[in-house]
Amino acid sequence: MQLLTAAPGPGEPDGGRLVGVLALGVPMARAVLTRVFPTLEPYRESVELSRLVLLDEVPSNGESWMCAASFALAAGRGVRGVVAYSDPHPRVRVTPQGREVVTPGHVGHVYAAQDFTYLGRSRARRLVVLPDGTVLTDRAAMKVRRDESGHQGVERRLRALGARLRREGEPGDRWLEEALEAIGAGRLDHRGNHLYARSIGARRTSVTVAPTSYPPPRRHTEAISMQDSW
């Protein structure tokens, strides 16, 4: 769902200016939906709140309005449960001027305000953080190590950050290790994202939310210094 202002600015399309987006989609693992909503059919009756982005200029009640309107539309299509993650760890990128905070991290206050139930943290894991602040997923790394379909795209992404071209016949695992060191990638011991869930629709109280709930976190304590060099 897109949130538009009433009056477009110069050069902007009729109908308003895009100031916010909320996306409902499919999580990385089906199991999270079956664990949180055991009575709902994953991907059809239960989904993930993948993105919620609003410009700072949107009034403070914009998030509440956006969630309410989006959930009403989703419920009309048969969705009964929504999960959402918040990443409390800051992300930084390396620039010619030094390290710059891309995202400060958040604990999900917006979800708690929308009547989501806090279910604790996802599993802790070690992440590979690239100099631009993005994460190289385990799946992307495996594509290079095993020469699987899509490895060329991963290699182009690393070359754009300064890695050399992989030589013909060169083992992928050897090239990847050298590339990550050359571009200054970092390892991050991540304690896990915060997980929230709520049911939606007219009969939302009839939906079972399986895991044990906890008081929602008030603030995060993760520090940027947890990101170590490669």
Side-chain angles (χ1 to χ4, degrees), residues 90-173:
R91 288 285 186 274
V92 298
R93 63 186 171 197
V94 179
T95 71
Q97 293 73 38
R99 296 185 0 149
E100 175 184 280
V101 176
V102 179
T103 58
H106 70 110
V107 297
H109 293 313
V110 61
Y111 304 136
Q114 299 304 314
D115 204 24
F116 278 75
T117 299
Y118 178 62
L119 303 177
R121 289 200 185 229
S122 61
R123 66 178 180 86
R125 61 207 189 280
R126 170 162 281 198
L127 303 179
V128 177
V129 183
L130 303 180
D132 61 359
T134 62
V135 172
L136 181 69
T137 65
D138 292 341
R139 185 71 191 93
M142 192 61 66
K143 290 180 180 180
V144 176
R145 292 191 176 102
R146 296 181 177 177
D147 278 331
E148 295 180 353
S149 176
H151 73 89
Q152 298 94 335
V154 180
E155 292 172 21
R156 285 195 298 269
R157 178 182 172 193
L158 297 179
R159 290 203 306 273
L161 294 172
R164 65 169 175 80
L165 179 67
R166 181 179 169 189
R167 293 186 290 270
E168 184 176 356
E170 183 177 10
D173 54 352

Side-chain angles (χ1 to χ4, degrees), residues 5-6 11 17 24 27 29-30 67 82 112 115 131-132 136 147 149 160 172 186 201:
T5 60
R17 183 164 63 95
L24 298 175
R30 176 189 176 98
C67 287
V82 178
D115 204 24
D132 61 359
L136 181 69
D147 278 331
S149 176

